[in-house]
Amino acid sequence: MTSRLTERATWKALEKHATAMRGAHLRQLFADDPKRGERLAVEAAGLYYDYAKQRVTDETLQALLALADACGLRAKIDAMFGGEKINATENRAVLHVALRAPKGASFVVDGEDVMPSVHEVLDAMSRFATSVRDGSFVGFSGKRIRNVVNVGIGGSDLGPVMAYRALRSYADRELTFRFVSNVDGTDFAEATRDLDPHETLFLIASKTFTTQETMTNAASARAWVLNALGDEAAIAKHFVAISTNAAEVAKFGIDTANMFGFWDWVGGRYSMTSAIGLSTMIAIGPERYREMLDGFHAMDEHYRTAPFEKNLPALMGLLAVWNQNFLGAQTIAVLPYDQYLERFPAYLQQLAMESNGKGVTRDGTSVSYETGPIYWGEPGTNGQHSFYQLIHQGTKLIPCDFVAFCRSHHTLPPHHDLLIANVLAQAEALAFGKTADEVRAEGTAEALVPHRVFEGNRPSATIFADELTPATLGALVALYEHSVFTQGAIFDVNPFDQWGVELGKALAKRIAPELTSQSELGHDSSTNTLIRRYRARR
Ligand code: F6P
């Protein structure tokens, strides 16, 4: 079956236009329009987005906007904000935007306004976070809590760890934060080896409270605490659950009075502003946390209301579609020039790739075009001395998102100016390159000329904000959430399910008992041989 997207006139128009654009070079596009750098930029919620170095013309943008209209992007946004069950394969609404809306806002699911419950949980989180921060919440033996360990994986880990690292300069430095996610016991052992159980609080974060990795780590945490404190009653003072599943929380042995809830209309990878953000709130305090939520909300409102030609997430999403489907890119490199954002690319990987890594449309038809791009990246300038070579001179087209801030949290001249000089230089080098004539003019020996040529014409965008604050971080994450939504709307996939994680989970459940028994094996010959080898050597 052919899917409808590639049959659309707007898609075909883009294909035709892309053929014409193959000969266009960013050098020429800038020469033709001296104001291009000012024109192809948009600002929202404290983020300035320069997309002038993308390989687009006004015609490209018009064609992409026409595609967005043809794909019903506006109606799809309205359906999400309206609480419709757009996650049809799980029969769920998708309302992470409600989590950051202020008091007085209204979001309705199944005829019920969810906002009172959202703020009830936020208020409970605030009270709890404050009591940990001011020392009024103490451990079982009366000692102050000094360590907070978040145990979770995927969306129950990546948001919290990314946000903690990003906002460390706002965090209470008297408290130590650790994040345990991997079922590899090394993660738990290393995270707890120097901590005192009397002073340690575990946040068991799991939407389902059934995830194998998290439950295994939570059980180890329980044993670690009981081993030191010797009394079941200690659990209430050292464990908090963050989940949608009260029954499983109770079964695990955590009093549901120590539970912070959320709802099935919050997807795991969209949950960092739900109770899953408790570690962030304990770290930076409820007021700063509210500033972060306000940053998210400002971008949510911009996405919901701005016309698409000025709509930052919509443009970012459409440019991703353009680069993947019409210019042949496969990936997007996200390159934050800020060490505090070291885990931002990892966070985006789940957000983008678990959302749009899909091969069928919402009605189950196989797609005949590229869906979700691969997101990857590392902080600059480190990447410059590692993989940028391939981006500059390799055979693959890798669009880059640079993220940078005008002000640093540290006055350590000349570091910040050098950092910014580098990010600007990279975007410039990628776009404009260096011709053979320019290389020769530098006196380069002829044999070396081809090696020193930079073809240029490599697309990038730069997100420039004043400072990495809680609000800026919120706006930045919401920007990518909605860019991912935009891409999903064009691809006509459901960005909110993740059936692709199921098969591996089921097979691991089958294999686990086989590793420690001598049972007959019924896998393929490769898997059987590997299991036998493990059995013999474990
Ligand atoms: O296996 C994938 C996944 O379901 C993610 O979507 C989710 O973020 C992660 O596992 C963790 O799930 P939970 O919060 O239920 O433990």
Side-chain angles (χ1 to χ4, degrees):
M1 252 202 280
T2 31
S3 74
R4 285 170 48 227
L5 179 59
T6 51
E7 296 306 314
R8 289 185 188 283
T10 45
W11 185 272
K12 288 184 189 296
L14 275 159
E15 278 176 336
K16 197 161 162 229
H17 172 67
T19 314
M21 281 294 286
R22 257 169 224 135
H25 196 291
L26 280 166
R27 259 182 238 132
Q28 196 57 47
L29 297 179
F30 272 85
D32 291 347
D33 174 8
K35 292 221 177 288
R36 181 180 170 91
E38 290 153 48
R39 277 195 323 109
L40 300 193
V42 58
E43 192 161 5
L47 305 183
Y48 178 82
Y49 180 65
D50 168 9
Y51 59 100
K53 297 189 190 83
Q54 291 283 336
R55 259 159 62 181
V56 292
T57 60
D58 290 342
E59 200 184 333
T60 323
L61 294 166
Q62 288 314 317
L64 286 169
L65 293 169
L67 179 69
D69 286 343
C71 293
L73 178 58
R74 173 64 61 205
K76 287 176 178 173
I77 295 172
D78 290 345
M80 174 169 69
F81 279 82
E84 286 178 33
K85 301 208 168 160
I86 59 171
N87 178 1
T89 58
E90 296 180 324
N91 193 29
R92 288 174 183 168
V94 174
L95 266 187
H96 44 279
V97 292
L99 300 169
R100 44 270 191 145
K103 278 189 173 137
S106 165
F107 286 92
V108 176
V109 179
D110 287 334
E112 196 191 318
D113 188 351
V114 300
M115 289 313 292
S117 321
V118 166
H119 280 280
E120 213 172 281
V121 173
L122 274 172
D123 290 345
M125 287 167 65
S126 298
R127 286 192 295 275
F128 183 73
T130 303
S131 70
V132 173
R133 287 165 64 83
D134 68 15
S136 54
F137 181 93
V138 291
F140 185 62
S141 50
K143 281 191 168 181
R144 193 172 173 162
I145 295 296
R146 302 209 176 271
N147 316 306
V148 177
V149 183
N150 190 80
V151 176
I153 197 164
S156 301
D157 167 71
L158 290 161
V161 70
M162 180 277 290
Y164 173 67
R165 299 267 174 95
L167 300 176
R168 236 174 321 164
S169 67
Y170 296 89
D172 181 342
R173 303 287 188 149
E174 297 294 306
L175 292 169
T176 295
F177 288 83
R178 300 273 163 84
F179 298 84
V180 177
S181 54
N182 201 333
V183 76
D184 182 346
T186 300
D187 206 11
F188 181 81
E190 287 293 337
T192 52
R193 60 182 289 281
D194 57 346
L195 303 185
D196 177 355
H198 296 263
E199 301 181 342
T200 301
L201 174 71
F202 287 94
L203 311 180
I204 311 299
S206 174
K207 180 176 170 180
T208 55
F209 232 71
T210 56
T211 304
Q212 188 189 53
E213 292 90 335
T214 303
M215 291 304 105
T216 306
N217 278 318
S220 297
R222 202 169 186 284
W224 185 79
V225 167
L226 286 179
N227 188 36
L229 287 110
D231 192 332
E232 279 284 336
I235 299 299
K237 287 288 173 191
H238 293 269
F239 281 83
V240 157
I242 303 165
S243 186
T244 58
N245 191 344
E248 285 295 328
V249 168
K251 224 197 269 171
F252 179 83
I254 298 179
D255 189 340
T256 46
N258 290 344
M259 171 176 159
F260 296 90
F262 58 111
W263 307 271
D264 73 354
W265 43 262
V266 182
R269 52 195 172 275
Y270 296 89
S271 67
M272 66 172 276
T273 50
S274 71
I276 293 289
L278 184 60
S279 59
T280 315
M281 194 195 267
I282 297 173
I284 66 173
E287 279 163 33
R288 293 290 195 190
Y289 191 81
R290 183 66 243 174
E291 288 170 21
M292 182 183 83
L293 297 185
D294 290 344
F296 271 95
H297 180 64
M299 187 57 80
D300 293 342
E301 280 303 281
H302 167 76
Y303 185 53
R304 188 177 68 81
T305 58
F308 292 147
E309 63 272 20
K310 293 201 176 79
N311 191 312
L312 209 168
L315 287 169
M316 188 190 233
L318 290 170
L319 289 167
V321 173
W322 167 248
N323 286 326
Q324 306 304 305
N325 276 286
F326 299 98
L327 297 187
Q330 292 277 317
T331 79
I332 297 179
V334 180
L335 307 163
Y337 277 63
D338 191 303
Q339 195 58 33
Y340 282 127
L341 287 179
E342 61 190 324
R343 293 297 284 164
F344 190 59
Y347 171 80
L348 287 185
Q349 287 188 320
Q350 187 201 12
L351 175 67
M353 290 155 75
E354 207 174 63
S355 294
N356 286 335
K358 309 286 162 67
V360 295
T361 60
R362 288 181 302 157
D363 67 5
T365 309
S366 290
V367 300
S368 56
Y369 43 87
E370 294 291 331
T371 59
I374 298 160
Y375 278 73
W376 62 286
E378 276 290 318
T381 59
N382 294 4
Q384 291 175 205
H385 300 271
S386 155
F387 53 80
Y388 277 38
Q389 163 67 39
L390 186 149
I391 306 181
H392 282 289
Q393 288 187 315
T395 53
K396 292 175 176 57
L397 185 73
I398 302 187
C400 300
D401 281 354
F402 293 105
V403 183
F405 300 91
C406 296
R407 293 191 294 271
S408 168
H409 282 271
H410 304 283
T411 34
L412 211 57
H415 287 263
H416 197 63
D417 292 340
L418 290 178
L419 181 71
I420 299 305
N422 273 280
V423 66
L424 299 180
Q426 290 300 324
E428 192 175 20
L430 287 169
F432 303 107
K434 201 186 218 184
T435 64
D437 285 346
E438 285 166 343
V439 175
R440 276 189 201 102
E442 289 171 347
T444 305
E446 198 53 36
L448 272 185
V449 170
H451 300 277
R452 301 191 66 172
V453 165
F454 289 72
E455 179 184 279
N457 211 21
R458 301 189 178 217
S460 72
T462 301
I463 299 164
F464 221 1
D466 286 349
E467 201 175 324
L468 180 55
T469 62
T472 327
L473 180 71
L476 189 62
V477 174
L479 163 62
Y480 277 93
E481 285 177 347
H482 299 318
S483 163
V484 165
F485 182 89
T486 302
Q487 295 171 50
I490 304 297
F491 302 143
D492 196 29
V493 298
N494 176 4
F496 300 107
D497 61 13
Q498 56 283 318
W499 300 106
V501 303
E502 298 296 331
L503 180 58
K505 281 187 193 174
L507 289 177
K509 255 194 199 139
R510 175 179 160 197
I511 292 174
E514 293 174 342
L515 297 178
T516 52
S517 72
Q518 288 307 317
S519 60
E520 278 291 306
L521 295 173
H523 302 271
D524 60 276
S525 60
S526 157
T527 309
N528 286 345
T529 308
L530 292 166
I531 291 175
R532 281 192 208 103
R533 190 175 176 88
Y534 182 77
R535 279 176 173 174
R537 291 160 189 251
R538 64 188 284 272

